[in-house]
Amino acid sequence: MMVASFSGMHERFRSGELTPREALEGVIASITAREPQLKAFAFLDPDLSRAAADLSTQRYRAGRPLSVFDGCPVGIKDIIETKDMPTGNGNPAFAGRRTGRDAACVDALRRAGAIPFGKTVTTEFAIGFSGPTVNAHDPERTPGGSSSGSAAVVGAGLLPVALGTQTQGSVLRPASFNGCIGFKPTLGALPLGGVHPLSASHDHLGVFANDFDDLWGIASLISDYGSPGFAGLQGAAARAPDGRRPKRLVRLHLSAWNEIEEAHRAILDREFEILAAQGIEILDRTSDPAVQALEDVLDRDVAVSMDMVAWEMRFPFRGYVERHGDQIGERIRNLLARAEELRPEDYERSLAKQKAARTLVTETLARLDADAFVLPAAAGPAPKGLINTGSRAHLVYWSWLGFPAISLPIMKADGMPWGLQVAGIAHEDASLCALARWVLENRAS
């Protein structure tokens, strides 16, 4: 038995209709059959998960489950530390490395009775060369990066939930390519302790799921752990908020629109026609000058995003290159070279542009009396081949802003999934989730 969604499983476990161990065996069987082709896991030890499922079964029989997610298997991206599994960071120099501790998010999962199920493949340190994972729907196509394994295993319906990270586009893009829901919350809403750092101003912990209750519930219990300096996930709860119909949406094109093929633009246009037919007002750069003005600023200033990432990743990556040389991939070494050309005053100017853009986005949404921004979660369906993980152009804006965004598995192009990105403003995560849920659940066929 596959557990593509965990929602409702809690009551089956409580009634004794099914046990966590029985459910887990179905998951293990499905993954064992599919993994040789999918290659989603960097480390997999089913016996560790079985032991955790047995403890969960005992708790349910005693009437004392730890949470509604007690017994839920969750894939863990391999830059996230786990005390009982190695954390290899997608790099051969770190293969088999064990830190002996859980990241804050993994500790939160265990305390809620959820089961960390294997380490999913990541690109090198979530920014470098690709791993072996293939797309859940076509083995000749990329699963996207950097959270390749997490998105593929959820998109394939093999796990109900998996954790990923996003610094540029690493949750929403693979969610788009593999046909699952991807959630990148407000910067700092979920704790990053024990997650290998890239960029403090850009790094987000994110969640993949096939069900909004799974998505929101897992994010919420992780948020309850606490994230230093941040208030946590706004509206955290065991279940997702009910769907809320938007009144007005802002469609963004941005310069990334130029990457979309003409045939795929028609597919995207059709989605906005569907929304408009449901009585939702759609504003864009042709109908409101405020939208065009916003796009102009975002397109002008978002280039500093990668400079910020390069500047902030000097530690620990300069030390890695010194110790491991060419085992550290070319892209990382190129980013470090880019950082050497920057000065503190360059970084200070980048921070100022980021702050101004956050203010402008927030004020523009309020001025337009709109509910959210909508744009593609990728330039199209997953490209063929495993080297190129796809463009980040449509995603970097909201990573740079640190604002929440969700990829919805709504569209199809060339027979492959293609996500629609719904994006909001800081700390309005629950409102965005309610809106995104409505869009997904009420989409006309």
Side-chain angles (χ1 to χ4, degrees), residues 1-4 22-32 73 117 158-160:
M1 180 190 68
M2 296 168 61
V3 187
E22 290 168 343
L24 185 75
E25 288 300 332
V27 170
I28 292 171
S30 296
I31 288 176
T32 299
F117 189 96
L158 302 175
L159 282 179

Side-chain angles (χ1 to χ4, degrees), residues 23 66 180 315 326:
L66 296 175
C180 57
F315 177 84
D326 288 346

Side-chain angles (χ1 to χ4, degrees), residues 194-213:
V195 179
H196 195 287
L198 273 176
S199 166
S201 66
H202 285 65
D203 288 349
H204 300 72
L205 185 68
V207 183
F208 299 93
N210 293 308
D211 174 275
F212 263 103
D213 284 333

Side-chain angles (χ1 to χ4, degrees), residues 20-90:
R21 175 61 184 270
E22 290 168 343
L24 185 75
E25 288 300 332
V27 170
I28 292 171
S30 296
I31 288 176
T32 299
R34 188 76 188 276
E35 175 60 11
Q37 180 196 52
L38 194 62
K39 300 180 178 66
F41 288 94
F43 180 86
L44 193 59
D45 184 348
D47 286 339
L48 289 176
S49 300
R50 287 185 172 109
D54 286 342
L55 292 174
S56 179
T57 296
Q58 292 173 19
R59 290 191 291 269
Y60 276 103
R61 284 174 175 164
R64 294 194 296 270
L66 296 175
S67 76
V68 296
F69 288 99
D70 201 329
C72 178
V74 181
I76 310 296
K77 184 177 181 178
D78 197 31
I79 63 164
I80 301 173
E81 294 183 34
T82 43
K83 65 184 180 183
D84 53 357
M85 295 179 279
T87 304
N89 298 313

Side-chain angles (χ1 to χ4, degrees), residues 304-325:
V304 304
S305 172
M306 191 53 78
D307 285 342
M308 294 172 72
V309 171
W311 180 263
E312 292 169 4
M313 66 185 285
R314 292 174 301 161
F315 177 84
F317 287 95
R318 287 198 294 194
Y320 291 169
V321 172
E322 290 169 0
R323 290 197 298 275
H324 304 295

Side-chain angles (χ1 to χ4, degrees), residues 184-328:
K184 181 198 77 65
T186 298
L187 184 76
L190 304 184
L192 286 168
V195 179
H196 195 287
L198 273 176
S199 166
S201 66
H202 285 65
D203 288 349
H204 300 72
L205 185 68
V207 183
F208 299 93
N210 293 308
D211 174 275
F212 263 103
D213 284 333
D214 291 348
L215 183 93
W216 189 255
I218 288 292
S220 294
L221 69 85
I222 290 173
S223 175
D224 286 346
Y225 194 99
S227 185
F230 298 92
L233 184 67
Q234 178 256 353
R239 296 299 184 207
D242 292 338
R244 178 179 64 84
R245 181 184 177 279
K247 175 182 65 175
R248 184 177 295 118
L249 296 171
V250 179
R251 177 182 182 177
L252 295 178
H253 290 79
L254 299 159
S255 62
W257 179 253
N258 297 326
E259 294 188 356
I260 302 177
E261 295 179 11
E262 196 66 38
H264 296 160
R265 292 182 184 186
I267 294 170
L268 189 61
D269 289 342
R270 173 60 181 156
E271 292 304 323
F272 283 96
E273 290 172 2
I274 291 171
L275 290 168
Q278 293 170 317
I280 300 167
E281 184 179 359
I282 307 296
L283 303 178
D284 67 12
R285 62 190 183 187
T286 66
S287 63
D288 197 300
V291 179
Q292 181 67 72
L294 175 63
E295 291 191 357
D296 290 344
V297 171
L298 291 178
D299 282 332
R300 183 193 69 200
D301 291 344
V302 75
V304 304
S305 172
M306 191 53 78
D307 285 342
M308 294 172 72
V309 171
W311 180 263
E312 292 169 4
M313 66 185 285
R314 292 174 301 161
F315 177 84
F317 287 95
R318 287 198 294 194
Y320 291 169
V321 172
E322 290 169 0
R323 290 197 298 275
H324 304 295
D326 288 346
Q327 285 188 288
I328 305 302

